[in-house]
Amino acid sequence: MRDIMEHYEKLVHFLGNVLSPNCEIALLDLRDNKNCITAIVNGHISGRTVGAPITNLALQVISTNAWKETDSKCNYLGLTKDNNHLRSSSYFIKDNNELIGMLCINIDITPYEQLNKAISQIACSNYAEAPLQLIDSLNLNHEKFTNNLSDTIDAIFKENVDLSAIPISRLTQDEKIAIVGKLYENGVFHIKGAVANVAEHLHCSEATIYRYLNKITKEHNS
């Protein structure tokens, strides 16, 4: 039987030929813990290539089952590593009531924002940046794009953990468990290699992280 993702891979390249170079099209394969990009066109927009990990938003979509509520989410804020603004949309690929992939389109709107600002200044009008839409309808964070696992976890870490007051070396066991719990809720451990990466972040062993996860999953299932 033909792999359904082959159809979407062809669609990625078709859309790449139809849409402009400032439009990135990416296919995420979520089956068998792949959780990575398997096809991408115009990857210069986000700096990603085939094999890049799924984003913080994709992890939330999985962990919160937000994909069950809708077939897609359109026109929300995406941020590149350089903080360029993207107008992003994701189509949820489902098979037998399971989420198996996402087809994502990310349009770099930074040049248009700059042009809008310049025109407003020429016209001597009061310029105010219009707020970009966040993914509030699904209660999700804006999307950040990275090209490796470490950067993905770094982004989620900064978004969910405030370490400004207490250095990692001074965190108590309960505080570390709470951090691992937040990362668990955000789907971080769906990424292969996440345990080792989080252990490095928290200056502890992988066995310790597995012990924390065991405690957390028991509490979630009780």
Side-chain angles (χ1 to χ4, degrees):
M1 182 180 294
R2 194 171 189 179
D3 186 352
I4 188 174
M5 285 302 179
E6 289 184 16
H7 165 76
Y8 285 100
E9 287 179 9
K10 290 182 178 180
L11 183 59
V12 165
H13 294 287
F14 167 73
L15 292 173
N17 289 326
V18 172
L19 302 176
S20 67
N22 74 323
C23 181
E24 176 189 83
I25 305 98
L27 178 65
L28 296 173
D29 193 336
L30 306 179
R31 301 171 300 174
D32 303 322
N33 291 320
K34 287 182 183 177
N35 293 336
C36 68
I37 291 178
T38 54
I40 188 168
V41 173
N42 295 329
H44 63 276
I45 298 297
S46 67
R48 296 179 299 168
T49 58
V50 169
I54 60 178
T55 64
N56 60 322
L57 178 134
L59 289 171
Q60 283 186 285
V61 165
I62 295 170
S63 62
T64 63
N65 289 323
W67 57 273
K68 292 184 177 180
E69 302 172 22
T70 181
D71 289 329
S72 63
K73 184 60 186 175
C74 301
N75 302 321
Y76 57 83
L77 171 64
L79 294 175
T80 69
K81 193 174 181 179
D82 297 326
N83 283 323
N84 286 339
H85 290 168
L86 307 181
R87 180 160 61 85
S88 300
S89 300
S90 295
Y91 176 77
F92 305 139
I93 304 171
K94 307 174 188 180
D95 185 44
N96 293 324
N97 295 319
E98 293 291 334
L99 181 66
I100 64 171
M102 295 172 64
L103 179 64
C104 307
I105 296 179
N106 306 299
I107 302 172
D108 185 2
I109 60 174
T110 303
Y112 305 116
E113 291 178 324
Q114 294 170 343
L115 179 61
N116 182 43
K117 184 176 181 178
I119 291 174
S120 296
Q121 290 173 336
I122 292 172
C124 299
S125 62
N126 292 325
Y127 173 79
E129 291 188 13
L132 290 165
Q133 178 186 357
L134 300 182
I135 312 181
D136 49 9
S137 62
L138 292 180
N139 197 29
L140 301 174
N141 294 321
H142 56 265
E143 189 166 25
K144 295 182 179 179
F145 302 94
T146 63
N147 201 33
N148 60 69
L149 171 63
S150 181
D151 285 347
T152 297
I153 295 180
D154 281 344
I156 299 173
F157 229 89
K158 291 175 182 177
E159 201 164 66
N160 292 277
V161 180
D162 181 12
L163 296 175
S164 58
I166 305 175
I168 292 177
S169 59
R170 293 177 56 191
L171 291 173
T172 66
Q173 182 183 82
D174 286 343
E175 288 169 334
K176 288 185 178 181
I177 291 175
I179 289 172
V180 173
K182 284 186 178 181
L183 298 176
Y184 172 83
E185 290 171 359
N186 279 271
V188 167
F189 297 100
H190 287 287
I191 303 178
K192 186 177 181 180
V195 169
N197 198 285
V198 172
E200 184 178 346
H201 271 79
L202 294 180
H203 301 173
C204 60
S205 68
E206 293 181 36
T208 298
I209 300 298
Y210 279 115
R211 189 167 67 250
Y212 292 167
L213 284 172
N214 186 50
K215 176 180 174 65
I216 292 164
T217 53
K218 281 183 179 179
E219 291 176 352
H220 276 257
N221 294 329
S222 62

